[in-house]
Amino acid sequence: KFHNGDSYICLSTKKQNNKLSWDIHFWLGETTSQDEAGVAAYKTVELDELLGGSPVQYREIQNHESRKFLSYFKQGVRYIEGGVESGFKKVQRGVYEKKLFHIKGKRLVRIYSVEVNVTSLNDGDCFILDDGKKIYCWCGKDSRRTERIKAMEVARSIRDDERGGKAKIYIIDDGVDPDSKFFEALGGFNRDQVLSAEAVDDDVSSKKDIHLYRISDASGDLEMTQVDERPLKYEHLDHNDSFILDIRGNEIFVWVGSKCTTAEKTNAMSQAATFIEKFNYPKWTCVTRVIDGGENSIFKQFFVSWPNRNILVAAPKYSSSNIGKVEIHIEI
């Protein structure tokens, strides 16, 4: 679960052919402070340097996470209002609050914290009402099977992980099972007040225009030169510079050449943020940083030619037993 008022860093480690590779994701909640967001970005750079500069970096924004990030959480990503107590904020502890969670998604299921009110319900999704010792799992009559399965998994997770297994779960199939206790716990509403489901496809994707830009800040300002030649080829990339691959309206890749300066490598994500602002893209636009010689298959698919290169990226000598999946919560 992620508090929407906080920032997180997640490290994913893989071992293939006796070699370790890493993906670093820094996640920003929709109400996280500028201080926390800045620390998350800074600590991501520190972690990247600790691992020899070879990891792929991802900037994740709440509600707009990458598929790769969401794939780590088999029970779905759960959003919690507020934040954990830290040097930036103080949160009252030991006070229980009734919560309503919205389970939604076709292939990538997310769990949202919503207002405890019948107006938050619709008959096309599933909802969990966390009422302390009682956990209600209400499945709308038109909800998907994947959403129902996920809702039950989340309800069991709340019971086992947060209530020590002492809470009781009530599964309510809309239109089949009695629901009076659920609506009473919700605040005294009734089934007639539930909204109808709207035809919304959560996983719609479309092909967007693709643009490649050479990035330079030699003059002190961010300068961009668009690569006009099509189709895009590996030869368009220059080891001495950084490039931004803009999948317009979808995501942005920052490619860092092997001969770039340390400052250019460190500022890659900042350049992406400036690029997003310059083109007036949504702040939640996904950003992925890849390094020369360590490109992932998603990045390479946009180029018609890509050589097989045996480039060894320097990395610290850690044993596989010392590195695993790590989640670091920023608390300063």
Side-chain angles (χ1 to χ4, degrees):
K1 61 183 179 181
F2 292 83
H3 289 81
N4 66 1
D6 289 329
S7 299
Y8 297 76
I9 295 174
C10 296
L11 171 66
S12 174
T13 302
K14 293 182 180 179
K15 185 177 182 180
Q16 187 174 12
N17 298 326
N18 292 321
K19 294 181 180 179
L20 294 175
S21 63
W22 301 275
D23 292 307
I24 303 176
H25 304 256
F26 66 97
W27 183 93
L28 307 179
E30 61 183 7
T31 61
T32 192
S33 68
Q34 285 294 108
D35 288 330
E36 288 182 316
V39 172
Y42 176 74
K43 291 297 182 182
T44 297
V45 172
E46 283 191 346
L47 181 58
D48 180 85
E49 292 176 348
L50 177 66
L51 297 173
S54 61
V56 176
Q57 289 184 25
Y58 301 82
R59 188 189 71 158
E60 309 286 355
I61 306 297
Q62 181 179 345
N63 295 321
H64 302 280
E65 296 89 348
S66 65
R67 289 177 178 269
K68 187 178 187 67
F69 180 80
L70 294 175
S71 70
Y72 300 144
F73 305 93
K74 303 307 179 184
Q75 294 186 359
V77 174
R78 179 150 57 105
Y79 303 128
I80 306 295
E81 290 291 330
V84 174
E85 183 176 357
S86 70
F88 292 122
K89 57 170 74 73
K90 298 295 181 181
V91 178
Q92 188 176 5
R93 295 181 180 273
V95 177
Y96 175 76
E97 181 182 1
K98 185 182 297 186
K99 294 184 176 68
L100 181 65
F101 297 102
H102 183 182
I103 316 298
K104 185 174 182 63
K106 188 175 182 180
R107 290 186 295 273
L108 301 174
V109 180
R110 289 183 172 91
I111 301 95
Y112 302 89
S113 178
V114 295
E115 182 183 358
V116 182
N117 193 295
V118 71
T119 58
S120 298
L121 305 180
N122 73 77
D123 57 20
D125 295 320
C126 295
F127 295 81
I128 293 174
L129 179 62
D130 180 3
D131 194 16
K133 297 297 183 181
K134 297 180 180 180
I135 301 172
Y136 299 90
C137 182
W138 185 86
C139 300
K141 63 182 180 65
D142 294 326
S143 59
R144 300 183 179 98
R145 180 175 177 273
T146 53
E147 293 170 335
R148 292 174 179 240
I149 293 174
K150 188 64 63 178
M152 295 175 190
E153 289 178 353
V154 173
R156 287 194 293 267
S157 176
I158 294 174
R159 178 195 63 190
D160 298 338
D161 299 339
E162 300 180 23
R163 303 292 137 73
K166 297 180 180 180
K168 186 173 182 179
I169 297 176
Y170 298 87
I171 307 296
I172 303 168
D173 191 352
D174 181 27
V176 177
D177 301 320
D179 56 16
S180 59
K181 290 185 177 180
F182 167 73
F183 284 103
E184 181 180 346
L186 189 61
F189 302 101
N190 61 68
R191 175 63 182 82
D192 295 336
Q193 295 171 280
V194 175
L195 301 176
S196 298
E198 296 181 357
V200 177
D201 186 353
D202 302 292
D203 295 305
V204 173
S205 61
S206 57
K207 293 184 178 180
K208 305 290 183 179
D209 292 337
I210 300 172
H211 299 278
L212 182 66
Y213 297 87
R214 182 191 296 266
I215 304 300
S216 173
D217 57 1
S219 65
D221 296 322
L222 184 65
E223 297 180 354
M224 296 177 292
T225 304
Q226 185 170 345
V227 178
D228 294 323
E229 186 178 346
R230 289 293 184 275
L232 293 179
K233 301 178 181 179
Y234 167 76
E235 289 74 19
H236 290 144
L237 301 173
D238 186 337
H239 304 295
N240 296 292
D241 290 320
S242 297
F243 288 77
I244 287 181
L245 181 65
D246 177 14
I247 317 303
R248 194 176 299 278
N250 190 359
E251 62 183 322
I252 288 173
F253 289 88
V254 183
W255 183 87
V256 181
S258 58
K259 297 182 181 180
C260 284
T261 64
T262 300
E264 288 174 325
K265 294 177 180 178
T266 301
N267 295 330
M269 297 300 272
S270 297
Q271 290 178 341
T274 302
F275 182 89
I276 289 172
E277 183 177 353
K278 180 180 180 66
F279 282 89
N280 199 29
Y281 285 171
K283 293 183 178 180
W284 46 257
T285 301
C286 292
V287 178
T288 302
R289 190 213 68 169
V290 295
I291 64 168
D292 187 359
E295 300 87 351
N296 57 25
S297 58
I298 297 176
F299 177 81
K300 291 189 287 187
Q301 71 176 329
F302 296 107
F303 297 80
V304 296
S305 65
W306 199 274
N308 292 321
R309 300 187 298 159
N310 294 318
I311 294 181
L312 297 178
V313 180
K317 295 181 179 179
Y318 291 123
S319 67
S320 58
S321 61
N322 291 333
I323 298 180
K325 285 189 176 180
V326 179
E327 177 181 303
I328 305 173
H329 184 268
I330 303 300
E331 294 187 28
I332 297 179

